[in-house]
mmCIF file with all atom_site columns, all heavy atoms in Angstrom:
data_model
loop_
_atom_site.group_PDB
_atom_site.id
_atom_site.type_symbol
_atom_site.label_atom_id
_atom_site.label_alt_id
_atom_site.label_comp_id
_atom_site.label_asym_id
_atom_site.label_entity_id
_atom_site.label_seq_id
_atom_site.pdbx_PDB_ins_code
_atom_site.Cartn_x
_atom_site.Cartn_y
_atom_site.Cartn_z
_atom_site.occupancy
_atom_site.B_iso_or_equiv
_atom_site.pdbx_formal_charge
_atom_site.auth_seq_id
_atom_site.auth_comp_id
_atom_site.auth_asym_id
_atom_site.auth_atom_id
_atom_site.pdbx_PDB_model_num
ATOM 1  N N   . MET A 1 181 ? 111.033 139.946 53.324 1.00 91.00 ? 181 MET A N   1
ATOM 2  C CA  . MET A 1 181 ? 109.889 139.225 52.907 1.00 91.00 ? 181 MET A CA  1
ATOM 3  C C   . MET A 1 181 ? 109.745 137.952 53.804 1.00 91.00 ? 181 MET A C   1
ATOM 4  O O   . MET A 1 181 ? 108.678 137.594 54.167 1.00 91.00 ? 181 MET A O   1
ATOM 5  C CB  . MET A 1 181 ? 110.052 138.679 51.507 1.00 91.00 ? 181 MET A CB  1
ATOM 6  C CG  . MET A 1 181 ? 110.098 139.902 50.470 1.00 91.00 ? 181 MET A CG  1
ATOM 7  S SD  . MET A 1 181 ? 109.138 139.701 49.068 1.00 91.00 ? 181 MET A SD  1
ATOM 8  C CE  . MET A 1 181 ? 110.017 138.322 48.320 1.00 91.00 ? 181 MET A CE  1
ATOM 9  N N   . ALA A 1 202 ? 96.500  140.185 76.831 1.00 98.00 ? 202 ALA A N   1
ATOM 10 C CA  . ALA A 1 202 ? 97.004  141.083 75.801 1.00 98.00 ? 202 ALA A CA  1
ATOM 11 C C   . ALA A 1 202 ? 97.745  142.093 76.390 1.00 98.00 ? 202 ALA A C   1
ATOM 12 O O   . ALA A 1 202 ? 98.911  142.442 75.985 1.00 98.00 ? 202 ALA A O   1
ATOM 13 C CB  . ALA A 1 202 ? 95.894  141.689 74.940 1.00 98.00 ? 202 ALA A CB  1
ATOM 14 N N   . PHE A 1 212 ? 111.044 144.164 78.046 1.00 98.00 ? 212 PHE A N   1
ATOM 15 C CA  . PHE A 1 212 ? 112.104 143.617 77.325 1.00 98.00 ? 212 PHE A CA  1
ATOM 16 C C   . PHE A 1 212 ? 112.894 144.718 76.567 1.00 98.00 ? 212 PHE A C   1
ATOM 17 O O   . PHE A 1 212 ? 114.078 144.833 76.536 1.00 98.00 ? 212 PHE A O   1
ATOM 18 C CB  . PHE A 1 212 ? 111.675 142.549 76.377 1.00 98.00 ? 212 PHE A CB  1
ATOM 19 C CG  . PHE A 1 212 ? 112.788 142.024 75.447 1.00 98.00 ? 212 PHE A CG  1
ATOM 20 C CD1 . PHE A 1 212 ? 113.700 141.148 75.924 1.00 98.00 ? 212 PHE A CD1 1
ATOM 21 C CD2 . PHE A 1 212 ? 112.808 142.469 74.123 1.00 98.00 ? 212 PHE A CD2 1
ATOM 22 C CE1 . PHE A 1 212 ? 114.770 140.722 75.121 1.00 98.00 ? 212 PHE A CE1 1
ATOM 23 C CE2 . PHE A 1 212 ? 113.859 142.035 73.319 1.00 98.00 ? 212 PHE A CE2 1
ATOM 24 C CZ  . PHE A 1 212 ? 114.911 141.303 73.863 1.00 98.00 ? 212 PHE A CZ  1
ATOM 25 N N   . GLU A 1 214 ? 113.029 147.891 77.150 1.00 98.00 ? 214 GLU A N   1
ATOM 26 C CA  . GLU A 1 214 ? 113.762 148.847 77.987 1.00 98.00 ? 214 GLU A CA  1
ATOM 27 C C   . GLU A 1 214 ? 114.765 148.316 78.804 1.00 98.00 ? 214 GLU A C   1
ATOM 28 O O   . GLU A 1 214 ? 115.979 148.625 78.743 1.00 98.00 ? 214 GLU A O   1
ATOM 29 C CB  . GLU A 1 214 ? 112.737 149.660 78.787 1.00 98.00 ? 214 GLU A CB  1
ATOM 30 C CG  . GLU A 1 214 ? 111.752 150.390 77.989 1.00 98.00 ? 214 GLU A CG  1
ATOM 31 C CD  . GLU A 1 214 ? 110.942 151.480 78.804 1.00 98.00 ? 214 GLU A CD  1
ATOM 32 O OE1 . GLU A 1 214 ? 111.103 151.483 79.964 1.00 98.00 ? 214 GLU A OE1 1
ATOM 33 O OE2 . GLU A 1 214 ? 110.258 152.226 78.079 1.00 98.00 ? 214 GLU A OE2 1
ATOM 34 N N   . LYS A 1 249 ? 112.158 158.963 63.057 1.00 94.00 ? 249 LYS A N   1
ATOM 35 C CA  . LYS A 1 249 ? 111.035 158.023 62.615 1.00 94.00 ? 249 LYS A CA  1
ATOM 36 C C   . LYS A 1 249 ? 110.913 157.181 63.664 1.00 94.00 ? 249 LYS A C   1
ATOM 37 O O   . LYS A 1 249 ? 111.686 156.547 64.382 1.00 94.00 ? 249 LYS A O   1
ATOM 38 C CB  . LYS A 1 249 ? 111.533 157.461 61.264 1.00 94.00 ? 249 LYS A CB  1
ATOM 39 C CG  . LYS A 1 249 ? 111.524 158.466 60.170 1.00 94.00 ? 249 LYS A CG  1
ATOM 40 C CD  . LYS A 1 249 ? 112.102 157.770 58.795 1.00 94.00 ? 249 LYS A CD  1
ATOM 41 C CE  . LYS A 1 249 ? 111.029 156.961 58.098 1.00 94.00 ? 249 LYS A CE  1
ATOM 42 N NZ  . LYS A 1 249 ? 111.415 156.502 56.762 1.00 94.00 ? 249 LYS A NZ  1
ATOM 43 N N   . ALA A 1 318 ? 135.961 141.890 74.923 1.00 97.00 ? 318 ALA A N   1
ATOM 44 C CA  . ALA A 1 318 ? 137.026 141.376 74.013 1.00 97.00 ? 318 ALA A CA  1
ATOM 45 C C   . ALA A 1 318 ? 138.353 141.789 74.609 1.00 97.00 ? 318 ALA A C   1
ATOM 46 O O   . ALA A 1 318 ? 138.688 142.948 74.944 1.00 97.00 ? 318 ALA A O   1
ATOM 47 C CB  . ALA A 1 318 ? 136.803 141.938 72.640 1.00 97.00 ? 318 ALA A CB  1
ATOM 48 N N   . ARG A 1 430 ? 113.005 161.780 74.561 1.00 97.00 ? 430 ARG A N   1
ATOM 49 C CA  . ARG A 1 430 ? 112.213 162.864 75.176 1.00 97.00 ? 430 ARG A CA  1
ATOM 50 C C   . ARG A 1 430 ? 112.432 164.098 74.376 1.00 97.00 ? 430 ARG A C   1
ATOM 51 O O   . ARG A 1 430 ? 111.474 164.856 74.093 1.00 97.00 ? 430 ARG A O   1
ATOM 52 C CB  . ARG A 1 430 ? 112.869 163.145 76.640 1.00 97.00 ? 430 ARG A CB  1
ATOM 53 C CG  . ARG A 1 430 ? 111.965 164.031 77.430 1.00 97.00 ? 430 ARG A CG  1
ATOM 54 C CD  . ARG A 1 430 ? 112.724 164.517 78.633 1.00 97.00 ? 430 ARG A CD  1
ATOM 55 N NE  . ARG A 1 430 ? 114.024 165.291 78.197 1.00 97.00 ? 430 ARG A NE  1
ATOM 56 C CZ  . ARG A 1 430 ? 114.033 166.601 77.730 1.00 97.00 ? 430 ARG A CZ  1
ATOM 57 N NH1 . ARG A 1 430 ? 112.887 167.079 77.595 1.00 97.00 ? 430 ARG A NH1 1
ATOM 58 N NH2 . ARG A 1 430 ? 115.141 166.958 77.456 1.00 97.00 ? 430 ARG A NH2 1
ATOM 59 N N   . ALA A 1 436 ? 102.062 169.697 69.285 1.00 95.00 ? 436 ALA A N   1
ATOM 60 C CA  . ALA A 1 436 ? 101.566 170.613 68.220 1.00 95.00 ? 436 ALA A CA  1
ATOM 61 C C   . ALA A 1 436 ? 100.214 171.009 68.475 1.00 95.00 ? 436 ALA A C   1
ATOM 62 O O   . ALA A 1 436 ? 99.391  170.255 68.779 1.00 95.00 ? 436 ALA A O   1
ATOM 63 C CB  . ALA A 1 436 ? 101.783 170.116 66.784 1.00 95.00 ? 436 ALA A CB  1
#
Side-chain angles (χ1 to χ4, degrees):
Chain A
M181 296 221 303
F212 174 76
E214 299 198 351
K249 289 174 77 175
R430 192 196 58 74

